């Protein structure tokens, strides 16, 4: 039989009682297994795309050593990786209690200027400064620490914020808002 299979002579699969033990899966079970395999392959493809994006971000950030460009590239890459409409990197001052620089993405220069002075670090921004832990919020306005937005600020709902550390020191905070194709930022 094996010799026949090697030379392509067998045209039919096994049949009878032996076939039932060789192929114990029904067509429905096989369809379920194939669907699960397709889903896992899709997840693997998504992971590969995200990893490629992360590597592209690392290369982009490390290709230029001008601090302003590096900070802006970090914000842009973070927005792309998590599909955020807006992003900002707040750089902490020497005291570690206030923002001294605020690098944004997603706003035009005119829109940024219309908002007015840089944020100081109140509300949710201040929460991450005083307690440097990641924060994920589905609606900024509903959060107890919400401070509100200044005039001319675009409306924002979903929020993801995290401290940016260099070794053990917090350098600043990354703020991402308005997940594009979902209501909230996912935990993973």
């Amino acid at each position: 039989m094996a010799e026949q299979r090697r030379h392509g002579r067998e045209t039919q699969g096994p049949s009878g009682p032996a076939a039932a033990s060789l192929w114990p899966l029904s067509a429905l079970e096989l369809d379920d297994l194939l669907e699960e395999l397709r889903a896992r392959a899709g997840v693997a493809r998504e992971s590969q795309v995200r990893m490629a994006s992360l590597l592209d971000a690392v290369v982009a950030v490390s290709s230029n050593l001008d601090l302003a460009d590096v900070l802006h590239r970090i914000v842009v890459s973070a927005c792309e990786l998590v599909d955020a409409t807006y992003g900002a990197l707040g750089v902490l001052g020497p005291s570690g209690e206030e923002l001294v620089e605020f690098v944004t993405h997603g706003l035009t220069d005119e829109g940024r200027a219309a908002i007015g002075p840089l944020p100081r670090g109140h509300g949710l921004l201040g929460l991450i400064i005083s307690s440097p832990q990641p924060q994920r919020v589905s609606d900024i306005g509903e959060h107890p620490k919400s401070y509100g937005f200044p005039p001319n600020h675009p409306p924002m709902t979903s929020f993801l914020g995290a401290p940016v550390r260099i070794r053990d020191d917090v350098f600043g905070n990354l703020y991402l808002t308005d997940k594009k194709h979902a209501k909230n930022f996912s935990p993973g």
Side-chain angles (χ1 to χ4, degrees):
M1 182 84 135
E3 185 65 27
Q4 288 176 335
R5 276 190 291 232
R6 247 185 272 137
H7 296 292
R9 292 187 197 135
E10 183 175 296
T11 56
Q12 283 185 315
S15 60
S21 65
L22 289 176
W23 302 101
L25 297 175
S26 71
L28 184 58
E29 290 172 318
L30 187 56
D31 287 345
D32 289 345
L33 287 173
L34 286 173
E35 186 58 36
E36 182 178 340
L37 184 59
R38 284 186 191 110
R40 287 184 182 188
V43 169
R45 274 192 301 276
E46 283 181 25
S47 294
Q48 184 179 15
V49 168
R50 290 175 61 87
M51 185 59 73
S53 296
L54 183 58
L55 290 174
D56 288 346
V58 168
V59 169
V61 166
S62 63
S63 68
N64 185 348
L65 297 179
D66 178 62
L67 183 60
D69 288 343
V70 169
L71 296 178
H72 187 258
R73 286 181 180 173
I74 288 170
V75 176
V76 170
S77 296
C79 285
E80 290 172 355
L81 283 169
V82 300
D83 206 23
T85 303
Y86 303 104
L89 180 71
V91 179
L92 295 172
S95 71
E97 296 177 6
E98 77 276 339
L99 299 173
V100 295
E101 191 168 344
F102 204 70
V103 180
T104 62
H105 172 71
L107 296 170
T108 64
D109 290 339
E110 296 79 22
R112 176 70 200 96
I115 292 172
L118 297 176
R120 295 226 186 333
H122 301 291
L124 277 172
L125 306 186
L127 175 63
I128 299 172
I129 292 171
S130 64
S131 176
Q133 301 297 320
Q135 298 288 325
R136 205 168 29 97
V137 176
S138 60
D139 188 341
I140 296 170
E142 297 296 318
H143 192 276
K145 291 283 188 177
S146 180
Y147 190 76
F149 295 114
N152 302 315
H153 195 287
M156 295 179 178
T157 53
S158 58
F159 174 87
L160 177 63
V164 175
R165 297 178 190 273
I166 297 177
R167 294 175 192 84
D168 292 332
D169 297 325
V170 176
F171 168 80
N173 297 308
L174 188 60
Y175 309 108
L176 305 164
T177 62
D178 287 1
K179 177 90 171 159
K180 288 181 183 175
H181 301 288
K183 186 176 177 178
N184 301 311
F185 292 100
S186 62

